[in-house]
Amino acid sequence: MAMSLSKVKKQRRMSISEAHNRVKNLAWTPSYAQEALKYPTDYKFSKAPKDTMKQVLRSYFNMQEEKDDRVFGAMDAALRGNMFRNAQPRWIEWMKLFLGIIPFPEISAARSMAMLSNVVPNDELKNGYAFQMIDEFRHSTIQMNLKKWYMENYIDPAGFDITQRAFGHCYATTIGRQFGEGFITGDAITAANIYLQIVAETAFTNTLFVAMPSEASANGDYALPTIFLSVQSDESRHINNGYGTLMMVLGEPDNHDLLERDIRYAFWQNHCIVDAAVGSIIEYGTKDRRKDKESYVDLWERWVYDDYYRSYLAPLEKYGLKIHHDDIEAAWNRLTKGKYVHKVAQFFATGWPVNFWRIDPLDEYDFEWFEKKYPGWYKEFGKWWEHYRELSTPGNDPIAFADVGYVYPHRCWSCLVPCVIREDMVVDEVDGQLYTYCSEQCRWTHKVAFSDNYNGRPTPAMGKFSGKRQWEEVYHGWDLADIIKHMGFVRPDGKTLVPQPHLHFDDQKMWTLDDVKGYEFKSPIVTLREMTPEQREKHIEEYHAGFTIH
Amino acid sequence: MSEAQTTAEAHAKKFSGSNSRKFNYFEPKGRRATLYEDVTVDVQPDPERYLLQDWIISWADGKPAYAEEWTKIESSDWHAFRDPNGEWERNHYIRQSSIEKQVALTIESAQQEGVFQNIDKTWRKVIQDHFSASKHAEYGLGMVFLQAQRDGMSQMINNATLVNSSDKLRYAQDITLYLMDLAKDLKELNEDAGKENWLNNPVWQETRRVTESFAAINKDWAEQVFAVNLIFEPLVGELFRSGFIMQFAASHGDYVTPAIVSTAEADYERNLAYSVEMFNTFLSDPIYGDNNKNVTQEWMKKYVPMCVEAANQLQPIWSQPRVKVSTFSDAYNRAKERFNSILGQINIKIPEGVKL
Ligand SMILES: [Fe+2]
Ligand SMILES: [Fe+2]
């Protein structure tokens, strides 16, 4: 039919709230067959939330398409502007890790909306979960596309080319799998509401999706910011879903124990995992050492401490919830006094042969910046990074096997990040088996939170830690070269390694399987379990005392 | 940074791996991997493929994050299926957004031209009572798929189901918004009548029963895809959309409703295509094909009679419009043909004793 342009322009604007009021009436209460309760929860639900976000798919789809137009336009523009001519390889290399992990947690978030939709008896929230599901499908696939784009346009595609295989094998990505699997298993509210929405999305997405982009642009990467800020712009919907859902369980005093448990577990584990990964990437994946640049702990203080803890989490106490203030303090202390991020980065660099990206040695500019931002840094880490630089040419021992004084860490059974703050490592038994933890909170997570009862009440819906949780255990007693081959971290010539402890794009300077043959890999936990009680006690004491780099 | 390195551009240097510019961990369906495959395959990992440490958090009952036993379908390769529609976020939003723009523009134009006033009175009532009732079925199925997309054994399966959910929810909302606009011009139109009919009018009760029964299926995502897209849609959903609305609207002065319904018809063609492809993969499985055939026979025994009943209950609607364009039995015969041709596409037959 014909319609003049002026008429199109005069279109009556759809009132979103009028539309939303009708859309929520699409649901009905079934009377012929009850919906299957597919996913377990120990939570009870009370009154309906107010202020759920008013939204309809019509305006949503149009808005998202426009966002995409901007994103894809910017990627084209980046190529036309020869972005990779000036982008820092040190940075892009870490994207092999970051983008190796993140599409799985994203799509897991989409999957977890099924769980909320199944257990939460509120049609407006179900409407919200549908939007979040589609958003997360967006995030996962748009990030996969960014990764493909790096692979096609960056000087060294190795590591991007094996990405999803690497995700399943790598000793670092296991940490990301703990994160993503946390959204999709166990108690539906614990997983999809508290762990995902209330903590990961409300507290930590700023560090993920705002801090990462600004570091990317400082390193000449204009593509990542476009995509991740666009992803971040969807988060307010998810935070709103999270809050609405929380309000439905908060009103029920019976849930307060569970909420205390879940917020504690989720906050601590998000801290362990997100700070380890994002902190390392931002601090060690950058060439930008401007003195006035904020450090990761500065960002954390603003986004996690002020914006989240003080303005969101602590006020929940007025509903009768117990918030573990001491944990926020403890996380802060781990990041500052404990130098958590630096110790994790050191661990990633120690294990470079079993990674699938390159880790650039640090130089004097890096040293200077770290010392300024984290006084005492050089004394603790400087010498080790000098060893790393010296040992980065093939023919040397891989640093993990060289005699530099570093002790390969135990891994935490809960968060899967190694116990890098040595004095905090805890050992305990659960069901007669011995485990190591990075912290008291992680011990509590495994032994108390992930148990079939809590505070004397049964919690039959809670998930269980499972699988071969410790990557090191899988390869206990293997030769390093065989591990790398088994993981598939070998370049197409069949001998050159995907990971390299440097940025030399030159076959002569790159490590091959021959350079890593003859080193036997040991799992710290297997070794610990094999010890006599006396040996073990001595070992733990030494571990707590730390190590000295010579 | 290393002294020699001056640019991070592709092909600036030649070294081992410098030309490895394709994801190399999966077998593309065709000669080259599509963009859809690149952004989809293996994002949901699998211990059978690359998940070295297995799933590391399980359900309380010990089942892994993705459990094969959630469906009665068995497969020797869950990752063989690829969505023939190749949908990922980019083309999904482009498609959904263009449908929404087209629908909005059609309605807008109709309002400007004042054509709603020309719609036949008997047909207005059909829209108000029955077209409006159908939005609840569409919504209910959208929610079934929203939950099914959690549980499938591959990223390809779950993303196809997710898109199916998005389609259904969009269409249900489109009908809702259409009625809202219609009610602005046709003051006597009762926006609540659709839900009232859905809940209480006998002609819709069997449709509601079968829709609710799909939501009652416990975790068998394949059963839900099969039952909705391969049984319900041809026998009930399409029967109503194309066998009734599309046939009758024009003769009653209504060109807007068919424009909306045609978007659902196009959705269904695509969702049918992935469902046929998926079940062809399952039914031709070299090891489990026979088991899967038996499973689908059981599903047909359960759902075909329910859908036939639901279809027959809708019959009175065909006599409500003023102009009798075609009969219910014509429409139902076409639905049966459609259903048989779908079964032909996946090479199975209706179980003995099950009548259409
Ligand atoms: Fe997301
Ligand atoms: Fe831990």
Side-chain angles (χ1 to χ4, degrees), chain A residues 126-263:
Chain A
K126 285 178 206 246
N127 185 44
Y129 304 148
F131 286 79
Q132 182 166 356
M133 172 186 77
I134 306 170
D135 281 343
E136 306 292 9
F137 169 63
R138 171 174 196 250
H139 300 171
S140 179
T141 54
I142 208 170
Q143 290 162 5
M144 285 301 291
N145 185 57
L146 174 64
K147 182 158 64 177
K148 175 181 156 77
W149 188 83
Y150 283 129
M151 173 175 69
E152 287 165 348
N153 298 295
Y154 169 64
I155 187 165
D156 187 3
F160 285 127
D161 58 350
I162 55 170
T163 185
Q164 294 311 115
R165 177 188 170 125
F167 174 65
H169 281 91
C170 175
Y171 91 140
T173 50
T174 179
I175 301 165
R177 281 184 267 118
Q178 173 70 19
F179 184 59
E181 287 187 42
F183 306 164
I184 52 170
T185 38
D187 190 306
I189 293 297
T190 307
N193 179 235
I194 307 299
Y195 192 88
L196 169 63
Q197 293 172 329
I198 298 298
V199 179
E201 293 186 309
T202 309
F204 284 91
T205 52
N206 275 327
T207 65
L208 269 169
F209 298 152
V210 184
M212 292 276 301
S214 78
E215 208 55 57
S217 23
N219 283 280
D221 175 1
Y222 304 108
L224 183 123
T226 320
I227 285 157
F228 278 82
L229 292 174
S230 187
V231 164
Q232 173 70 3
S233 71
D234 294 332
E235 292 302 325
S236 59
R237 258 192 296 281
H238 311 172
I239 291 169
N240 194 275
N241 281 342
Y243 193 71
T245 309
L246 178 64
M247 287 301 125
M248 278 199 77
V249 293
L250 203 52
E252 186 65 55
D254 252 19
N255 292 329
H256 286 190
D257 265 359
L258 299 177
L259 282 167
E260 179 212 345
R261 176 196 70 183
D262 288 345
I263 291 173

Side-chain angles (χ1 to χ4, degrees), chain A residues 16-35:
Chain A
I16 299 283
S17 84
E18 260 185 21
H20 174 86
N21 284 338
R22 290 164 170 82
V23 160
K24 71 182 188 202
N25 262 324
L26 281 164
W28 73 96
T29 308
S31 58
Y32 296 111
Q34 288 312 306
E35 191 183 322

Side-chain angles (χ1 to χ4, degrees), chain A residues 1 22 27-28 32 38 57-58 60 65 68 88 111 148 151 154 161 181 184 464 469 507, chain B residues 1 8 16 20-21 38 56 58 89 93 97 109 149-150 159 173-174 191 195 205 212 219:
Chain A
M1 80 243 62
R22 290 164 170 82
W28 73 96
Y32 296 111
K38 291 165 63 183
L57 287 169
R58 180 164 302 166
Y60 168 79
E65 191 207 6
D68 270 6
Q88 294 294 345
R111 307 296 176 236
K148 175 181 156 77
M151 173 175 69
Y154 169 64
D161 58 350
E181 287 187 42
I184 52 170
K464 297 261 181 295
R469 288 181 66 79
D507 282 329
Chain B
M1 196 193 307
S16 180
S20 183
R21 298 189 184 274
D38 278 340
I56 53 184
S58 75
E89 70 97 27
Y93 285 118
S97 166
S109 155
Q149 61 89 34
R150 163 65 188 79
N159 280 6
Q173 293 197 5
D174 280 345
E191 279 188 80
K195 191 164 185 177
Q205 295 319 295
E212 290 177 6
K219 278 211 185 80

Side-chain angles (χ1 to χ4, degrees), chain A residues 1-3 7 11-12 14 19 22-23 25-28 30-36 38-40 56-58 60-62 64-65 68-69 72 84-85 87-89 104 107 110-111 114 117-118 126-127 130 133-134 137-138 141-142 144-145 148 151-157 160-165 168-169 174 177-178 181-182 184-186 287 416 460 462-469 471 475 491-493 504-505 507 509, chain B residues 1-3 5-10 12-13 15-18 20-25 35 38-39 41-45 50-53 55-60 65-66 87-90 92-94 96-97 100-101 103 105 108-109 111-113 135-136 139-140 143 146-151 155 158-159 162-163 165-166 169-170 172-174 176-177 180 184-185 191 195 198-199 205 208-209 211-213 215-219:
Chain A
M1 80 243 62
M3 182 157 89
K7 276 183 181 169
Q11 278 182 37
R12 275 184 257 172
M14 172 177 65
R22 290 164 170 82
V23 160
N25 262 324
L26 281 164
W28 73 96
S31 58
Y32 296 111
Q34 288 312 306
E35 191 183 322
K38 291 165 63 183
Y39 309 105
V56 286
L57 287 169
R58 180 164 302 166
Y60 168 79
F61 284 132
N62 293 340
Q64 298 298 84
E65 191 207 6
D68 270 6
D69 286 344
F72 289 89
F84 285 96
R85 200 167 285 170
Q88 294 294 345
F104 170 70
I107 205 63
R111 307 296 176 236
S117 175
N118 186 241
K126 285 178 206 246
N127 185 44
M133 172 186 77
I134 306 170
F137 169 63
R138 171 174 196 250
T141 54
I142 208 170
M144 285 301 291
N145 185 57
K148 175 181 156 77
M151 173 175 69
E152 287 165 348
N153 298 295
Y154 169 64
I155 187 165
D156 187 3
F160 285 127
D161 58 350
I162 55 170
T163 185
Q164 294 311 115
R165 177 188 170 125
H169 281 91
T174 179
R177 281 184 267 118
Q178 173 70 19
E181 287 187 42
I184 52 170
T185 38
K287 288 295 279 186
L416 299 186
M462 194 63 178
K464 297 261 181 295
F465 288 168
S466 66
K468 305 174 195 116
R469 288 181 66 79
W471 180 91
Y475 289 123
R491 291 169 187 256
D493 66 358
H504 295 292
F505 302 106
D507 282 329
K509 295 181 176 168
Chain B
M1 196 193 307
S2 80
E3 63 292 339
Q5 194 270 321
T6 54
T7 170
E9 284 177 304
K13 290 273 175 63
F15 52 92
S16 180
S18 62
S20 183
R21 298 189 184 274
K22 288 191 173 64
F23 291 150
N24 60 21
Y25 45 86
L35 181 51
D38 278 340
V39 300
V41 181
D42 284 323
V43 174
Q44 177 178 317
Y50 306 125
L51 202 52
L52 176 76
Q53 296 166 249
W55 294 104
I56 53 184
I57 309 178
S58 75
W59 298 91
Y66 290 90
E87 207 137 316
W88 62 297
E89 70 97 27
R90 180 65 163 146
H92 183 65
Y93 285 118
I94 291 174
Q96 296 288 45
S97 166
E100 294 289 38
K101 282 179 195 151
V103 167
L105 213 62
E108 187 62 32
S109 155
Q111 286 171 328
Q112 305 275 348
E113 314 285 333
K135 71 185 187 295
H136 299 281
Y139 170 84
M143 295 310 279
L146 187 153
Q147 294 195 15
Q149 61 89 34
R150 163 65 188 79
D151 296 332
Q155 183 81 347
N158 290 330
N159 280 6
L162 184 155
V163 167
S165 169
S166 175
L169 296 175
R170 187 212 74 235
Q173 293 197 5
D174 280 345
T176 310
L177 301 186
M180 176 176 90
K184 283 177 189 151
D185 284 13
E191 279 188 80
K195 191 164 185 177
W198 174 249
L199 291 176
Q205 295 319 295
R208 180 155 77 86
R209 182 193 303 277
T211 308
E212 290 177 6
S213 74
I217 297 170
N218 192 357
K219 278 211 185 80

Side-chain angles (χ1 to χ4, degrees), chain A residues 176-434:
Chain A
R177 281 184 267 118
Q178 173 70 19
F179 184 59
E181 287 187 42
F183 306 164
I184 52 170
T185 38
D187 190 306
I189 293 297
T190 307
N193 179 235
I194 307 299
Y195 192 88
L196 169 63
Q197 293 172 329
I198 298 298
V199 179
E201 293 186 309
T202 309
F204 284 91
T205 52
N206 275 327
T207 65
L208 269 169
F209 298 152
V210 184
M212 292 276 301
S214 78
E215 208 55 57
S217 23
N219 283 280
D221 175 1
Y222 304 108
L224 183 123
T226 320
I227 285 157
F228 278 82
L229 292 174
S230 187
V231 164
Q232 173 70 3
S233 71
D234 294 332
E235 292 302 325
S236 59
R237 258 192 296 281
H238 311 172
I239 291 169
N240 194 275
N241 281 342
Y243 193 71
T245 309
L246 178 64
M247 287 301 125
M248 278 199 77
V249 293
L250 203 52
E252 186 65 55
D254 252 19
N255 292 329
H256 286 190
D257 265 359
L258 299 177
L259 282 167
E260 179 212 345
R261 176 196 70 183
D262 288 345
I263 291 173
R264 184 171 201 220
Y265 143 63
F267 178 82
W268 191 258
Q269 191 156 100
N270 269 265
H271 148 62
C272 291
I273 292 175
V274 179
D275 290 336
V278 181
S280 298
I281 294 170
I282 283 182
E283 303 282 55
Y284 286 80
T286 186
K287 288 295 279 186
D288 177 24
R289 298 303 183 192
R290 279 173 299 142
K291 297 281 182 291
D292 58 349
K293 195 184 74 170
E294 287 179 301
S295 69
Y296 186 71
V297 296
D298 296 332
L299 301 170
W300 202 93
E301 184 173 20
R302 175 145 47 95
W303 282 322
V304 181
Y305 193 84
D306 289 339
D307 286 3
Y308 178 70
Y309 165 60
R310 292 185 45 198
S311 2
Y312 182 97
L313 199 55
L316 292 177
E317 270 182 332
K318 67 169 182 275
Y319 297 97
L321 267 195
K322 179 170 164 48
I323 300 294
H324 287 258
H325 305 281
D326 43 338
D327 284 353
I328 286 79
E329 217 54 46
W332 174 250
N333 283 335
R334 291 212 322 164
L335 289 168
T336 51
K337 290 192 208 97
K339 299 207 172 61
Y340 179 65
V341 167
H342 305 284
K343 288 170 181 167
V344 172
Q346 183 179 31
F347 164 74
F348 283 150
T350 294
W352 73 261
V354 286
N355 290 335
F356 57 103
W357 70 99
R358 294 168 181 257
I359 299 179
D360 188 18
L362 301 183
D363 61 21
E364 313 312 321
Y365 294 105
D366 300 314
F367 289 174
E368 208 182 303
W369 188 88
F370 279 124
E371 188 59 32
K372 182 171 163 47
K373 294 289 171 179
Y374 301 95
W377 180 92
Y378 184 81
K379 187 165 173 291
E380 208 173 341
F381 302 98
K383 219 189 272 177
W384 187 87
W385 280 100
E386 277 164 7
H387 283 304
Y388 180 85
R389 188 163 55 185
E390 278 154 29
L391 294 170
S392 68
T393 47
N396 288 297
D397 288 328
I399 191 164
F401 296 89
D403 182 23
V404 296
Y406 185 77
V407 177
Y408 190 89
H410 283 285
R411 208 180 268 262
C412 176
W413 193 261
S414 287
C415 67
L416 299 186
V417 181
C419 313
V420 289
I421 300 178
R422 309 279 161 151
E423 61 273 28
D424 288 354
M425 195 256 277
V426 183
V427 177
D428 198 1
E429 277 184 26
V430 177
D431 299 330
Q433 183 61 282
L434 196 74

